[in-house]
Amino acid sequence: GCPWDKKQTHKSMIPYLLEEAWEVIEEIQEGRIGPELMDELGDLLFQVILHAQIAEEDQRFSLDQIIETITAKMVERHPHVFSDANKNQSDDELRAQWDAIKKKKLDRNSVLDGIPIHSPQLLRAKKIGERAASIGFEFETTAQIIDKIKEEIAEVEESLAEQDAAGVKEEIGDLLFAVTNLARFVKVNPEIALKDANEKFSNRFFTVEQAYKKAQAEGRVLSLGDLEGYWNLAKQKEAEQKK
């Protein structure tokens, strides 16, 4: 085989696996669900095949075993499809059934066990909130969560006033967790929401940056107020395009 392939391990392949997964997500988000998505799904599938090959060469498991295992798991967790169980359950009931079947299979001391530590932390926070809510530890209204966010902002301000660097870091983490809880509660994926916000900022900033470069080339200096004016212009153009 390829000399590069022979040097790879499961760990060394992690960046490529993540890269291909995000490229699949980008095609879907951008609505390119034809040949472009097919191509990226192929790249992602190839990552799975490479991991299976590494494992098979180490005599741990094979691609066939991966397929057999996931097939058995899907059958087990879909009794409403593959057995005579109730086929008219709601989405919430099906999720509860899925989780109950998983709990029987896994030896866990906590509902929080099994959440990957190295996953994107917004998604990890979302999953932690979901697991906590599964035993009733949950906000009742969005107003309660917003109050919690305000409380966390006040604590960030207090730590800033005290010039407590460690406290600022801790309180900003609590604030991010609270905002993630709000996103989860209103059924918004926080990772996707932040991605969209990043894209929106980048698009608007392009207008600001072009104005800055033009002024720099002409020997002019733009004030913060000038830059904010171009930012507002970009927002206005964006709003007009949405009409």
Side-chain angles (χ1 to χ4, degrees):
C2 172
W4 182 87
D5 290 352
K6 291 179 178 181
K7 296 178 182 178
Q8 301 312 307
T9 65
H10 292 298
K11 191 170 184 178
S12 72
M13 294 295 294
I14 288 174
Y16 307 106
L17 180 62
L18 289 172
E19 179 182 335
E20 297 302 347
W22 282 112
E23 287 181 0
V24 167
I25 292 169
E26 181 170 344
E27 297 300 336
I28 294 171
Q29 287 290 104
E30 296 297 325
R32 298 189 290 264
I33 54 176
E36 300 90 350
L37 177 59
M38 179 187 71
D39 185 56
E40 295 302 341
L41 285 170
D43 290 343
L44 181 58
L45 177 59
F46 186 65
Q47 293 299 310
V48 175
I49 293 170
L50 282 174
H51 280 278
Q53 182 63 30
I54 292 169
E56 187 167 10
E57 289 174 358
D58 291 340
Q59 298 183 333
R60 291 195 302 274
F61 57 82
S62 67
L63 182 60
D64 286 343
Q65 287 174 300
I66 293 174
I67 295 170
E68 290 167 2
T69 300
I70 188 59
T71 299
K73 183 190 294 184
M74 290 301 103
V75 170
E76 179 187 26
R77 295 185 184 178
H78 290 79
H80 54 290
V81 175
F82 298 102
S83 74
D84 295 328
N86 182 5
K87 299 182 184 297
N88 297 309
Q89 299 174 76
S90 68
D91 287 348
D92 289 340
E93 289 171 331
L94 289 173
R95 180 177 291 277
Q97 173 181 272
W98 177 282
D99 289 338
I101 294 171
K102 283 180 66 175
K103 286 177 184 176
K104 289 180 183 177
K105 187 87 172 179
L106 302 171
D107 182 19
R108 289 177 175 169
N109 295 318
S110 167
V111 294
L112 302 184
D113 287 349
I115 301 174
I117 293 175
H118 298 293
S119 61
Q121 293 304 306
L122 283 179
L123 293 182
R124 187 177 177 221
K126 174 177 177 288
K127 182 63 72 173
I128 288 172
E130 289 172 347
R131 296 278 184 90
S134 73
I135 65 168
F137 193 67
E138 173 67 300
F139 293 97
E140 295 179 348
T141 66
T142 54
Q144 290 176 334
I145 307 178
I146 290 171
D147 285 342
K148 181 64 175 175
I149 290 171
K150 291 177 180 177
E151 175 188 322
E152 298 299 349
I153 291 173
E155 291 179 0
V156 169
E157 291 175 335
E158 183 179 340
S159 292
L160 285 168
E162 294 174 354
Q163 297 185 342
D164 178 5
V168 170
K169 174 176 173 288
E170 179 181 348
E171 298 304 339
I172 287 177
D174 291 345
L175 175 58
L176 289 170
F177 189 84
V179 172
T180 302
N181 261 327
L182 176 60
R184 174 187 58 79
F185 195 85
V186 298
K187 302 187 185 310
V188 168
N189 185 311
E191 194 75 26
I192 299 297
L194 183 57
K195 172 187 174 297
D196 291 346
N198 286 338
E199 289 302 309
K200 181 168 62 177
F201 180 92
S202 298
N203 290 335
R204 291 175 182 175
F205 182 73
F206 180 77
T207 298
V208 176
E209 188 177 27
Q210 292 302 107
Y212 170 82
K213 288 180 177 179
K214 185 174 185 295
Q216 193 175 45
E218 295 171 353
R220 295 182 292 113
V221 177
L222 297 180
S223 67
L224 177 58
D226 294 330
L227 295 174
E228 287 177 343
Y230 285 108
W231 175 269
N232 291 329
L233 178 62
K235 285 180 64 176
Q236 183 180 342
K237 289 180 179 179
E238 184 181 287
E240 290 172 354
Q241 289 173 352
K242 289 181 178 179
K243 291 180 181 179

